[in-house]
Amino acid sequence: MRSKIVLFIIFCVITQIAIAQNKLPLIGVSSSWGDTDTRVPKAYVEAVMMAGGVAVVLPITDNKEMIEQQIDTIDALVVTGGADLNPLLYGEEPNAALGKVYEQRDEYDIALIKMAIKKGKPILAICRGLQVINIIYGGTLYQDIPSTYGKPYIKHDQERDVKLGSHTVTIVKDTQLYKILQSEKVLVNSTHHQAVNKLADGFTVSARTSDGIIEAIESVEKKIIAVQFHPEEMVYGGNKLMLKLFHNLIQRAENK
Ligand code: MN
């Protein structure tokens, strides 16, 4: 009788180990605040799930212990898009065309990203997510492309469906982004009026538009791939090329 119990316990332990090894990676998705809710545009969580990750929405908090546990819980992080960043964060006064800023979200995103880097968790940063990372490492932004870029520019605030691309980007060879997308010219969507001005220290530009605007940056050392466009919306709209960015994040989450 006793040996049967021992065998049963051994069976349970082995089963548990097998289940643990086959677990799908948990992918944290940073959120924003609506007037009455914590929210994430549906496309982010759908794209993560389509790539085989379990999407975990991370609520905004100023509690550092909670931020650390959020990061400890996940295997990789998606930093989502949203409102303009407070320009005082990079030493500039607000431009007349600056949109509404949300300081609590700015502070949360900065703390979350720093914690993810400290703990070695891979990051896919999108739109505003790219901009936050650029600011953390000493970069600056054009607060409003039309009024501050000072050079001819193409349309970066598309009016067509965000699931469809509207301009091309040229991807720099020998970058992580090139390895993932395997293409020099890629059609992407565009819903931003801000963009990287001074590039963050230690980062590489991995894509630009024909007007010179930076559309992607990365750091191998910090495990960051950041894009100015919205791959999640294109993935949700059925785009297979952009799904590679999410598959890559899942792979990086599994190999971390
Ligand atoms: Mn653009």
Side-chain angles (χ1 to χ4, degrees):
M1 185 63 191
R2 178 170 287 181
S3 65
K4 273 187 181 168
I5 291 170
V6 170
L7 278 173
F8 180 70
I9 290 169
I10 291 170
F11 170 78
C12 287
V13 168
I14 290 170
T15 310
Q16 281 302 311
I17 290 169
I19 289 169
Q21 282 172 344
N22 289 325
K23 265 189 177 172
L24 299 170
L26 299 181
I27 309 297
V29 182
S30 71
S31 63
S32 60
W33 280 337
D35 288 337
T36 56
D37 42 39
T38 285
R39 59 182 300 275
V40 174
K42 197 175 172 186
Y44 290 104
V45 291
E46 291 292 336
V48 166
M49 293 190 289
M50 284 164 85
V54 177
V56 180
V57 175
L58 305 175
I60 293 170
T61 173
D62 60 2
N63 183 318
K64 293 287 184 295
E65 201 183 333
M66 286 189 188
I67 291 173
E68 183 166 6
Q69 284 198 30
Q70 285 183 348
I71 292 299
D72 283 341
T73 303
I74 61 170
D75 300 302
L77 175 66
V78 174
V79 188
T80 61
D84 288 356
L85 285 144
N86 187 343
L88 294 174
L89 289 168
Y90 47 95
E92 287 186 14
E93 294 299 322
N95 177 285
L98 182 75
K100 206 170 173 184
V101 297
Y102 298 87
E103 279 152 334
Q104 284 157 311
R105 187 182 177 197
D106 291 353
E107 283 167 21
Y108 170 72
D109 279 0
I110 290 168
L112 187 73
I113 291 163
K114 282 184 174 171
M115 188 61 73
I117 293 166
K118 187 179 161 191
K119 302 257 177 177
K121 302 289 167 95
I123 297 175
L124 173 61
I126 294 171
C127 196
R128 171 195 154 93
L130 173 151
Q131 295 170 359
V132 185
I133 287 167
N134 194 59
I135 288 170
I136 292 175
Y137 293 98
T140 64
L141 302 178
Y142 290 110
Q143 289 185 44
D144 174 58
I145 296 169
S147 60
T148 64
Y149 189 47
K151 285 176 266 184
Y153 57 89
I154 65 168
K155 190 171 178 65
H156 287 278
D157 57 339
Q158 76 182 53
E159 283 160 66
R160 68 189 313 211
D161 186 347
V162 73
K163 290 182 175 58
L164 305 171
S166 72
H167 67 55
T168 59
V169 295
T170 303
I171 300 181
V172 181
K173 281 197 168 178
D174 299 324
T175 60
Q176 297 298 304
L177 190 65
Y178 185 82
K179 280 181 200 147
I180 297 164
L181 298 178
Q182 298 276 316
S183 183
E184 259 181 282
K185 268 255 195 289
V186 172
L187 180 67
V188 301
N189 53 8
S190 193
T191 63
H192 58 113
H193 80 118
Q194 301 201 310
V196 170
N197 183 355
K198 179 183 178 280
L199 178 66
D201 299 330
F203 280 76
T204 305
V205 172
S206 49
R208 284 181 194 270
T209 28
S210 59
D211 55 5
I213 293 278
I214 291 173
E215 288 274 343
I217 65 174
E218 61 185 43
S219 163
V220 175
E221 182 206 334
K222 294 186 175 67
K223 302 186 181 176
I224 294 172
I225 289 172
V227 294
Q228 184 58 70
F229 42 92
H230 283 275
E232 80 288 358
E233 290 289 352
M234 296 178 80
V235 168
Y236 194 32
N239 185 299
K240 292 281 180 277
L241 183 66
M242 291 296 146
L243 185 58
K244 289 183 177 182
L245 281 167
F246 289 89
H247 275 145
N248 169 264
L249 185 66
I250 302 293
Q251 271 173 17
R252 293 193 286 141
E254 286 167 342
N255 300 332
K256 73 177 189 302

